[in-house]
Amino acid sequence: MTDDFFLDVFQCTTYDELLQSTSYLQHETQKLNSQLDSICESQLPPLSHSLQRLDILGAALSTPQQNARLLKQMLSNASDVASRISQKARLLDTEQSRVQESLDYVIKTQELKSSIVGIYNATQVRDWESVANHIYSASKLPSKLVQGKFAEAMVPTEENPEIPLVELEKATESFGALCLREFESAAAARDAEKITRYFKLFPLIGKEKEGLDVYAKFVCSIIAGQSRQLMSSKVEGPLFFGMVISRLFENIATIVDQHSPIVERYYGGGKMQRVIERIQLEADTQGGIIIDTYFDDRNISRRLSDIKSYAFSFLVQSFMPTGLGMGMGIRAPSPAVNTDAGGISVQEIDTLLNESSLIIGRWSLYCKFLAVKWWLHDLNLIHQEDDSKITSATDLKLPPILMRSQLANKMNNRVSPAFESMATFFFRRSLEKAFQLDEAPILRNLPPEPSPTNPLISSAIDDVMYVLNAVLERSVSTGQSHLIRNVIGNLRRVLESDLVGMIQRKMRDETYPKSAGINTGSNQPIPPPEDKVNGFLILLNNLDVAIQYISRIVDTVIASCGDKKVLSVLPFGDEHEQVTLSLRGLCTSFELRVKELLVDGTQVIFAQVIKARLRLLLHETFKDASYLPQNISNDDVEDLQFQQQADLVRLRFSYGWDLLVFPIRKILTEKNYSRLLSVTCEHVSNILENKIWALSGEVNELGAIQLERDVAGVIGHVSQGKWYFLREKFVRVAQLVMAIGLDEQELNAGGIEWILTEEERKRALAIKTDDLI
């Protein structure tokens, strides 16, 4: 029977199929039983051996098992004994702790009674320090003990019949009132010893707030008295109110600095804040009186109104098409030259700016001092963790009392806006006056090279930059970030609109170097008048030097701001970075605005003064120059002819070039001259390139060498000395004459980084002819 004929019992449908399936299963069962029997017979010896070993091991473990049972019995007995002992020990500890608690309770009750008795006895002999110490000792006892039945039964005596709680409250209140009276009496008498004596008793009797308040009241009375004395003994002077408010802040700073250790010693860290709060209220009052008196006495409101209504008529007329002529060296008649229009004295505004900057600057210094004192406890904690953090500007912020201070409100909403308006007016009016009094530099007997430290500029630039530096320094000295940034923004607008606009108008309307016409004899344009050209060059110098001056002024002012530390002028948060960005923005914005005008002015000088004469110069330079020399066998004669023509071309060009550019070089600053020279050399390069392309068929092999020498002479003269970088303008020309001198094989040899395209190089090779004359 095979597996193919096997049918599942459940699939059989007939008796024969069922019998066949059953027979197959029986056969398979016998087969499997035979296999299992053979396996068991083969594995029986090792299994028997293992069972024997297990029996031996079981017999060996019987002794440890008996020992384990004995040990368990012994440990069980010991555990019972230990449990009974520990239970008795715990009961003993409980009893002992209860006895100790009772003893402590009795001892503290005795301390309470001793304190109350001590208060009574010390009061009788007026030993106030002992009274305070006894009250302090009683206050440290648990409130449950003081209010407990045991204390109420044991503490009262014949002299002190009240229960302890009532007795202590009465003693504290009466002694607190006594300390308050004695402190006020000592404060009225300015008895420093008694003031300190009673001041240090308040925290011992739980009257910290009362002690700090009465102490602050005493300090404020000193501040108010000193302030009234300063204001009553008024001494006329341009900086009187600045000095008065400086003295006010100095007095407060001295008091806070001297009294902080006393408060911290007897009241704990951070307790000085409550005193500073009361002091700031007094500072608001006294400082407000000073500010109001300052505005009234100096007529600030009227002056601000006059400033607002001032028309700047000179500047306005200067920008009008029909404005008065104010050319270089030409002074337009105006009564404003000698007197201040509108009744506004620039000198008085300058004085007021000094005084207001002193007021705001002292306020900023006071804010920084108060912030350090206010956060002194927090800063000390930071200092203990990391010494580098305590001086970080971001760790210092204004105290809340200054944010809601009335004096801060007056400083921000009255004094600062007044300073901003006056500073802007002072700078703009000074700029206007500087151009009214503007004088051109003397242009006689000039050296070949202008002095880098003494550029030829008009007097207005020096005057304006001096005032700009003064206004920026005053603004930074105020220490107010928002005010400084506002003033910087106003100054930038004045510089870009009035200063640059005035110079731009002069360049356009008064000194524009127009050609005087056409010379009928030579049919060449007549050069512009020399005074116009010189005036235009001076105005270009004004712009270039203004950029340099402003950059140096900004760097100096930023350095005066200090670094981002607590000791800097701007110590709070990111104020230092904001002011620095504003100053850099002033410099960058002005430079971008001026450079556009400088580029345009350079193009004007080139187009009106240099371009026509330059074309004529190059024409004369290469006149009669031949690049088809004879093929002479004598090399010495040939070299002599080459050298003579090369010298002639170089001498012609150098003479004409120096005659053209030296008068301009004597006047222009180095940057302006470099800018003009760059434009000029680019044009020279274009003319030379066009001239060389026009020599097609007029250059032989020897002539190519001569042409290269001639062009090299021109390039060498233009780019000599510090102007070597201008050779970059002549790269195409240099490669063009080099390509003419090469043959086709050399041209394609490689190794040269060509600027010329392949087509241009082939065209250059075609310029040379093989004919020899």
Side-chain angles (χ1 to χ4, degrees):
M1 185 180 297
T2 63
D3 292 342
D4 295 337
F5 299 102
F6 171 72
L7 290 176
D8 191 1
V9 175
F10 298 100
Q11 295 178 351
C12 297
T13 56
T14 63
Y15 173 78
D16 294 335
E17 289 178 354
L18 180 60
L19 183 62
Q20 185 179 4
S21 177
T22 303
S23 300
Y24 175 76
L25 290 175
Q26 289 176 353
H27 175 74
E28 287 297 321
T29 300
Q30 292 175 359
K31 183 178 178 181
L32 289 175
N33 288 334
S34 300
Q35 292 177 354
L36 289 175
D37 290 341
S38 63
I39 292 173
C40 288
E41 290 175 357
S42 63
Q43 297 295 328
L44 184 58
L47 185 59
S48 298
H49 179 69
S50 297
L51 290 174
Q52 290 175 0
R53 289 188 61 190
L54 285 175
D55 291 338
I56 295 171
L57 290 174
L61 288 174
S62 60
T63 301
Q65 186 177 10
Q66 292 176 0
N67 293 335
R69 290 193 185 98
L70 293 174
L71 183 60
K72 179 182 177 183
Q73 185 64 34
M74 292 172 59
L75 291 176
S76 176
N77 296 334
S79 175
D80 294 339
V81 174
S83 177
R84 289 194 299 271
I85 293 174
S86 63
Q87 185 176 3
K88 290 182 179 182
R90 284 194 297 271
L91 292 173
L92 182 61
D93 290 341
T94 302
E95 292 176 359
Q96 186 177 359
S97 64
R98 289 175 180 176
V99 170
Q100 186 63 41
E101 288 178 1
S102 300
L103 181 60
D104 292 342
Y105 193 85
V106 172
I107 292 174
K108 290 180 179 178
T109 303
Q110 289 177 346
E111 291 178 1
L112 176 61
K113 185 173 183 177
S114 298
S115 297
I116 293 176
V117 173
I119 292 171
Y120 175 78
N121 294 332
T123 303
Q124 298 302 314
V125 297
R126 302 180 65 82
D127 186 358
W128 308 129
E129 285 76 8
S130 296
V131 173
N133 288 327
H134 285 305
I135 294 176
Y136 178 75
S137 298
S139 66
K140 293 300 180 181
L141 296 173
S143 59
K144 291 183 178 180
L145 182 144
V146 176
Q147 301 175 15
K149 299 295 183 181
F150 183 75
E152 291 180 358
M154 301 302 297
V155 172
T157 61
E158 184 177 350
E159 293 81 5
N160 304 290
E162 299 287 349
I163 61 175
L165 181 62
V166 175
E167 190 67 34
L168 286 175
E169 289 178 352
K170 287 172 57 179
T172 302
E173 293 299 326
S174 61
F175 184 68
L178 184 143
C179 289
L180 194 60
R181 290 194 305 271
E182 293 295 333
F183 183 92
E184 291 176 347
S185 176
R190 293 293 192 269
D191 190 338
E193 184 178 352
K194 285 187 176 181
I195 289 173
T196 305
R197 177 190 180 188
Y198 290 104
F199 177 65
K200 65 183 181 181
L201 298 180
F202 285 101
L204 296 177
I205 61 176
K207 300 288 184 180
E208 290 184 0
K209 292 183 179 179
E210 290 80 357
L212 292 173
D213 290 343
V214 71
Y215 188 74
K217 181 180 178 181
F218 159 66
V219 172
C220 290
S221 67
I222 297 177
I223 296 171
Q226 292 174 341
S227 180
R228 283 193 295 268
Q229 183 179 1
L230 289 172
M231 291 296 292
S232 61
S233 59
K234 183 176 180 182
V235 179
E236 292 296 336
L239 299 177
F240 171 74
F241 291 99
M243 298 305 297
V244 169
I245 206 162
S246 297
R247 290 292 302 275
L248 171 66
F249 294 145
E250 287 172 3
N251 292 336
I252 295 175
T254 301
I255 289 173
V256 171
D257 194 51
Q258 291 179 351
H259 293 225
S260 292
I262 299 175
V263 176
E264 301 291 339
R265 184 191 310 166
Y266 297 115
Y267 286 76
K271 299 299 182 180
M272 190 62 189
Q273 291 183 354
R274 189 176 181 88
V275 179
I276 294 176
E277 285 182 357
R278 301 300 188 273
I279 292 176
Q280 184 56 41
L281 293 176
E282 187 64 33
D284 290 344
T285 302
Q286 301 302 326
I289 293 172
I290 296 172
I291 296 301
D292 293 339
T293 308
Y294 165 70
F295 268 76
D296 295 339
D297 190 81
R298 304 299 194 204
N299 294 320
I300 302 297
S301 299
R302 181 181 62 81
R303 295 180 188 278
L304 293 177
S305 178
D306 294 342
I307 287 173
K308 187 175 181 180
S309 61
Y310 184 71
F312 294 98
S313 56
F314 182 82
L315 289 177
V316 173
Q317 292 175 6
S318 299
F319 287 103
M320 294 174 62
T322 57
L324 298 175
M326 295 176 291
M328 283 293 167
I330 302 176
R331 186 78 50 78
S334 172
V337 172
N338 299 318
T339 60
D340 291 310
I344 305 177
S345 172
V346 177
Q347 288 77 12
E348 292 181 1
I349 297 297
D350 185 27
T351 303
L352 290 176
L353 274 177
N354 279 334
E355 191 168 30
S356 58
S357 66
L358 180 61
I359 292 173
I360 303 172
R362 291 296 184 268
W363 164 251
S364 299
L365 189 61
Y366 169 75
C367 290
K368 182 169 65 175
F369 168 81
L370 215 60
V372 172
K373 288 297 181 181
W374 182 269
W375 305 113
L376 182 62
H377 183 65
D378 296 336
L379 288 176
N380 286 336
L381 293 178
I382 294 174
H383 181 60
Q384 294 173 4
E385 297 175 2
D386 187 351
D387 292 344
S388 64
K389 292 183 179 180
I390 190 171
T391 57
S392 175
T394 56
D395 289 331
L396 195 64
K397 54 183 180 294
L398 279 175
I401 57 170
L402 290 179
M403 295 180 182
R404 56 177 181 266
S405 166
Q406 295 181 2
L407 183 55
N409 184 56
K410 287 190 176 183
M411 287 289 182
N412 294 332
N413 298 327
R414 294 195 71 187
V415 184
S416 292
F419 177 88
E420 180 184 344
S421 298
M422 289 189 293
T424 305
F425 170 81
F426 176 72
F427 180 67
R428 195 178 185 201
R429 179 69 184 101
S430 298
L431 184 147
E432 182 183 52
K433 204 165 187 178
F435 277 102
Q436 287 177 293
L437 303 173
D438 193 17
E439 293 182 356
I442 299 175
L443 300 180
R444 295 190 300 272
N445 301 323
L446 295 177
E449 293 282 337
S451 172
T453 59
N454 190 23
L456 295 173
I457 57 175
S458 63
S459 62
I461 297 300
D462 284 328
D463 297 340
V464 170
M465 294 304 149
Y466 175 81
V467 176
L468 174 65
N469 183 59
V471 173
L472 283 176
E473 286 183 346
R474 286 176 185 169
S475 301
V476 170
S477 69
T478 64
Q480 296 293 312
S481 173
H482 66 282
L483 175 60
I484 298 171
R485 287 184 280 116
N486 289 345
V487 172
I488 291 173
N490 295 338
L491 296 182
R492 181 174 64 184
R493 286 190 291 271
V494 173
L495 286 171
E496 295 180 4
S497 62
D498 294 333
L499 176 63
V500 179
M502 179 72 75
I503 296 176
Q504 185 177 17
R505 189 205 62 79
K506 286 175 174 286
M507 294 171 68
R508 185 187 66 240
D509 299 339
E510 299 177 15
T511 62
Y512 192 84
K514 293 182 180 179
S515 175
I518 302 297
N519 190 335
T520 56
S522 61
N523 200 28
Q524 294 292 332
I526 302 176
E530 185 178 358
D531 61 334
K532 294 284 187 181
V533 175
N534 291 342
F536 197 88
L537 297 177
I538 294 300
L539 291 175
L540 288 178
N541 284 352
N542 286 350
L543 294 173
D544 182 54
V545 172
I547 294 176
Q548 301 176 34
Y549 280 176
I550 290 177
S551 178
R552 289 202 293 267
I553 289 171
V554 166
D555 290 340
T556 302
V557 173
I558 289 176
S560 69
C561 292
D563 51 16
K564 293 182 284 186
K565 303 291 183 182
V566 173
L567 300 179
S568 69
V569 179
L570 302 161
F572 298 106
D574 60 347
E575 289 182 350
H576 186 279
E577 295 179 357
Q578 292 179 1
V579 170
T580 301
L581 288 175
S582 296
L583 287 168
R584 296 293 185 198
L586 166 67
C587 185
T588 303
S589 177
F590 182 80
E591 184 175 357
L592 292 175
R593 174 75 174 86
V594 168
K595 280 191 174 180
E596 295 178 0
L597 192 55
L598 285 174
V599 171
D600 295 341
T602 302
Q603 291 293 340
V604 169
I605 290 294
F606 171 74
Q608 299 295 329
V609 180
I610 295 179
K611 186 175 181 179
R613 297 169 62 185
L614 189 63
R615 184 174 293 276
L616 181 62
L617 167 62
L618 290 173
H619 175 74
E620 292 294 329
T621 298
F622 289 93
K623 185 174 66 174
D624 301 330
S626 175
Y627 299 104
L628 291 171
Q630 297 178 357
N631 187 11
I632 302 176
S633 58
N634 190 336
D635 293 339
D636 294 336
V637 175
E638 177 186 334
D639 291 342
L640 179 61
Q641 290 177 346
F642 276 24
Q643 187 64 39
Q644 288 176 346
Q645 178 170 322
D647 288 342
L648 181 61
V649 169
R650 180 178 56 80
L651 290 174
R652 282 177 180 174
F653 179 79
S654 60
Y655 175 77
W657 176 264
D658 293 345
L659 196 64
L660 175 62
V661 301
F662 268 23
I664 298 175
R665 177 70 187 105
K666 292 178 180 181
I667 298 175
L668 282 181
T669 61
E670 183 170 324
K671 287 186 177 180
N672 278 338
Y673 182 69
S674 177
R675 192 178 291 110
L676 178 63
L677 203 58
S678 179
V679 175
T680 303
C681 288
E682 189 171 347
H683 190 68
V684 171
S685 177
N686 292 335
I687 293 177
L688 287 176
E689 184 177 349
N690 293 333
K691 184 176 289 293
I692 293 170
W693 287 121
L695 293 175
S696 181
E698 300 179 10
V699 181
N700 60 17
E701 186 173 353
L702 295 177
I705 300 174
Q706 185 173 331
L707 175 62
E708 187 172 2
R709 289 180 180 179
D710 292 346
V711 172
V714 172
I715 297 174
H717 187 75
V718 170
S719 60
Q720 61 183 338
K722 67 175 67 176
W723 313 113
Y724 187 82
F725 68 92
L726 292 173
R727 286 180 175 270
E728 296 178 358
K729 304 292 183 181
F730 298 94
V731 173
R732 284 183 57 84
V733 176
Q735 288 193 357
L736 179 58
V737 295
M738 181 178 66
I740 293 174
L742 299 177
D743 56 27
E744 186 173 358
Q745 185 177 359
E746 292 172 334
L747 193 64
N748 298 324
I752 301 176
E753 187 177 349
W754 290 99
I755 301 297
L756 300 176
T757 64
E758 183 178 359
E759 183 180 353
E760 288 173 333
R761 295 197 297 271
K762 292 180 180 179
R763 182 184 172 193
L765 190 62
I767 292 177
K768 185 173 58 177
T769 180
D770 295 333
D771 296 336
L772 295 176
I773 298 176

